[in-house]
Amino acid sequence: MLSTQRIVKTSTGAVLALVFAPATASASWGYEPPTSESSDFTALCGSEGPDAPYTEPPYTASSTDLDACPTSIAPSTCTGPFCVSGHCAGINPLHEALNSCTGSACCLSGSVVDGVVDVSPYLNRPSGWALSADTSVDGSTNVDDSPGIAQAIECAASLTTTRRTVAFPAGRYVMRTPLRPHYDDLTLEGPEVYPDTEPGDPDTATLVALPCNPEQYPGVIQVSRPDESVVPAIDGLWIRNFQIELTDGPRATANGGIQLNHCENCEVENVILRYAPPSSQVPACKPSNLEGITFAVGAWGTIRNVIVDGTPKGGIYLATVPELNPTLGATVVENCEIKNITGPVGAAGIKILTANVVVRNCEVHHNLLHGSTAYGGHGLWIAGQASDGPGYTGAVPENVVIEDSYFHHNGGSGVMLVSNLASLRPSDISLVGVKSAYNGNYGVHVQAGTDVTFQDLWSWGNGYYGVYLQSRTTSFPSTALRVDNVTLENPVVFNNLLRLTSGSYPGILIEASDITIDGGAFARCGTDSSRGRQYKSIQQKCWKSGLTGAEVLFYPEDNVISGVSTSGNTAPEVATCTL
């Protein structure tokens, strides 16, 4: 039962003015593509190039000693009189189960104006912890703001206005377990946040996750109906203008700082989410299954003006279960920056394992897999996904568009298309105006995909090939569907193969059929060793594919290459059977 004592008091009118104040000029969100570019070799290799003089090395992983990693971390505690009894013990109950009220009975007098609920009167805090930006509250053992905020959400849900809003005034909020705002047409909103907002800015609302049980609920917002397979999806939940700090996460079952399941027309906007543990951690020892922002189980909507910094497993994760939402709407991810995703599993910037997605004007960089021999650390990972169990089919990305985005300094590949399913693969994938540079492996690596188009792709300074189209696999029978019907229009590929110290290699390696390359520029600028080993433009090769002992030799067929120009690279080669 919640305490009736209300220590924190704020004028509702003041908080409404603060939350809905007009935006002032500040830095822009996301990536802004250059307004004009030239693939002329003089411009490409000279001072007008995209980041001349090309002295950056590719971003690569280093080995890490795993023996120092703790097997578990003591959970956050809340033992004071203002904490709910037993709240941090065992499996945490839902907040609404802790409330002594339902519906309009949850509303406090004077806290509601025109469909907006001021959250501050609902906070249960001892007198020494008034709402402020004071970071020392993180170390308290007698502050838990999540049950009080949950009551404010219950109040908002009872209102009859078209859209209900829970307004968070500036300050620091302690979340021992996450909020569950599973109501339609509901907004959670703080004061305006900008991309250059500093951590803990006193003029913003910062939600700090100090999870009692990081294996179960590590984040600040977990949206899910009690029975996702029966009740309708949540419709129109908006989360806006927050800073979020995550301090711990799961090592067994994947979860996120913001986890939206079966949520339609939902939005996450103007949010800066950082992984900020109380003490420094070696990347290989970070919680392996903590994502940043997750749309899953048929969720779709908009992720706009977001920065995700430092989460271990992934930055933005989009997935679905087709049977739970057969009429999946479109998800738009725009004006986002995903960076420093470092951990022992995955460690990818943006992961797309669903259909109907648009990503535009995003920058994804410095993501790196640590302490593992697994292949990961990609900037963009578009992948087929195995089913969630009996009765469910696998999810396959299709109808995906990536526009005007920059993937650089990732430990894996800048862009990766793959599938762990023999009969399903990404399809109808379009990348327009994408740049991929200084990644540890490939600029673009397609291991599985059909009906894939790259228009005006730029790929340079990568550790290995600028583009690798690879049908070869030893994980599936030779009949498995892998790579075909891929088109590259006017690619610009130069100065790749920086990790190799000898030999002559192509900017694009093709081990696939039904490939079209129309136009494009291929170059190696200068003669010094820092410019990589890309001496060839395009090379086609035969490949063997299939399970060990049952491999089949394949020849590239129906590949068309035309209009290619080169500088310091040889002309495109005809297919060979050099294996």
Side-chain angles (χ1 to χ4, degrees):
M1 181 178 297
L2 298 179
S3 168
T4 57
Q5 185 174 1
R6 310 293 171 190
I7 301 299
V8 180
K9 298 291 184 182
T10 302
S11 163
T12 300
V15 77
L16 298 186
L18 183 60
V19 169
F20 299 113
T24 57
S26 188
S28 299
W29 292 92
Y31 169 66
E32 297 184 2
T35 55
S36 62
E37 291 176 323
S38 172
S39 59
D40 174 80
F41 294 121
T42 301
L44 193 65
C45 295
S47 61
E48 299 177 35
D51 60 356
Y54 312 115
T55 56
E56 287 282 331
Y59 195 60
T60 55
S62 59
S63 60
T64 302
D65 183 6
L66 298 182
D67 294 338
C69 296
T71 56
S72 63
I73 295 178
S76 171
T77 59
C78 188
T79 59
F82 289 83
C83 298
V84 177
S85 177
H87 195 99
C88 289
I91 298 176
N92 309 127
L94 304 183
H95 293 305
E96 52 267 34
L98 298 172
N99 289 328
S100 59
C101 62
T102 58
S104 60
C106 293
C107 297
L108 298 178
S109 177
S111 67
V112 183
V113 176
D114 296 331
V116 179
V117 179
D118 175 5
V119 76
S120 57
Y122 294 83
L123 304 182
N124 293 298
R125 287 194 172 193
S127 57
W129 294 111
L131 180 63
S132 72
D134 185 0
T135 58
S136 62
V137 71
D138 298 2
S140 67
T141 59
N142 59 353
V143 175
D144 185 2
D145 294 322
S146 21
I149 300 171
Q151 183 176 344
I153 291 172
E154 295 295 316
C155 168
S158 72
L159 304 179
T160 58
T161 52
T162 302
R163 173 156 293 277
R164 294 77 60 85
T165 297
V166 178
F168 291 67
R172 200 168 183 87
Y173 297 80
V174 173
M175 317 293 292
R176 306 286 178 174
T177 55
L179 304 175
R180 289 185 161 263
H182 49 246
Y183 296 105
D184 297 342
D185 302 316
L186 177 67
T187 298
L188 308 184
E189 186 165 11
E192 193 77 25
V193 172
Y194 303 99
D196 55 356
T197 299
E198 294 293 327
D201 187 311
D203 293 327
T204 63
T206 299
L207 309 182
V208 184
L210 296 171
C212 296
N213 186 346
E215 290 296 336
Q216 184 189 12
Y217 300 134
V220 296
I221 296 173
Q222 302 271 312
V223 172
S224 179
R225 301 277 200 197
D227 187 346
E228 295 162 347
S229 64
V230 177
V231 300
I234 299 149
D235 191 355
L237 173 68
W238 297 351
I239 301 163
R240 293 175 166 174
N241 293 315
F242 290 105
Q243 293 205 75
I244 293 172
E245 293 187 11
L246 306 178
T247 62
D248 199 1
R251 290 156 176 80
T253 302
N255 211 324
I258 296 178
Q259 177 92 22
L260 304 187
N261 292 342
H262 210 186
C263 192
E264 300 182 342
N265 287 305
C266 293
E267 295 185 7
V268 178
E269 184 175 25
N270 289 21
V271 168
I272 301 176
L273 184 151
R274 301 179 178 91
Y275 181 67
S279 58
S280 62
Q281 294 176 330
V282 176
C285 300
K286 292 164 73 171
S288 56
N289 272 304
L290 180 63
E291 313 272 7
I293 299 172
T294 295
F295 279 20
V297 197
W300 58 272
T302 302
I303 300 174
R304 178 187 296 118
N305 298 353
V306 160
I307 296 173
V308 181
D309 185 357
T311 50
K313 189 177 183 181
I316 291 177
Y317 177 54
L318 309 177
T320 190
V321 177
E323 286 76 9
L324 296 182
N325 198 342
T327 58
L328 188 68
T331 294
V332 176
V333 179
E334 60 184 358
N335 306 336
C336 295
E337 182 182 12
I338 313 299
K339 59 184 177 180
N340 304 319
I341 310 302
T342 57
V345 176
I350 298 177
K351 299 192 289 185
I352 301 175
L353 296 88
T354 187
N356 305 331
V357 176
V358 175
V359 176
R360 63 168 70 102
N361 298 333
C362 290
E363 183 176 5
V364 183
H365 60 100
H366 291 92
N367 305 304
L368 183 62
L369 185 69
H370 286 264
S372 172
T373 58
Y375 198 44
H378 309 302
L380 173 67
W381 192 1
I382 302 176
Q385 174 181 318
S387 71
D388 281 2
Y392 296 116
T393 59
V396 182
E398 58 183 356
N399 189 27
V400 174
V401 178
I402 314 296
E403 298 178 334
D404 297 328
S405 294
Y406 186 21
F407 304 92
H408 64 97
H409 293 91
N410 298 290
S413 296
V415 175
M416 180 76 170
L417 275 67
V418 68
S419 176
N420 61 0
L421 306 169
S423 59
L424 298 173
R425 55 187 169 164
S427 65
D428 192 14
I429 312 295
S430 177
L431 296 95
V432 181
V434 165
K435 291 179 171 56
S436 185
Y438 302 120
N439 300 292
N441 290 327
Y442 307 100
V444 173
H445 191 184
V446 181
Q447 284 188 332
T450 186
D451 295 325
V452 180
T453 300
F454 295 88
Q455 183 177 344
D456 298 324
L457 167 73
W458 285 49
S459 182
W460 75 94
N462 296 289
Y464 298 121
Y465 307 116
V467 177
Y468 185 17
L469 307 179
Q470 179 193 351
S471 287
R472 173 173 52 86
T473 177
T474 58
S475 301
F476 301 107
S478 60
T479 55
L481 301 176
R482 305 321 291 162
V483 179
D484 62 22
N485 199 17
V486 177
T487 299
L488 292 96
E489 299 179 4
N490 299 314
V492 177
V493 183
F494 62 102
N495 284 13
N496 291 290
L497 287 305
L498 267 68
R499 292 180 67 175
L500 301 182
T501 58
S502 63
S504 176
Y505 299 91
I508 296 181
L509 177 61
I510 301 174
E511 294 177 345
S513 294
D514 298 307
I515 309 299
T516 299
I517 299 179
D518 183 9
F522 294 77
R524 184 179 186 273
C525 305
T527 59
D528 62 275
S529 59
S530 67
R531 304 304 174 97
R533 309 298 299 181
Q534 182 185 317
Y535 291 100
K536 303 178 180 180
S537 58
I538 302 168
Q539 183 179 28
Q540 302 181 63
K541 294 175 63 176
C542 298
W543 68 95
K544 286 184 177 180
S545 192
L547 300 175
T548 302
E551 300 95 336
V552 174
L553 178 63
F554 289 87
Y555 294 79
E557 298 178 343
D558 300 321
N559 293 343
V560 178
I561 301 172
S562 62
V564 169
S565 58
T566 64
S567 175
N569 277 187
T570 60
E573 298 180 8
V574 298
T576 66
C577 277
T578 303
L579 297 175

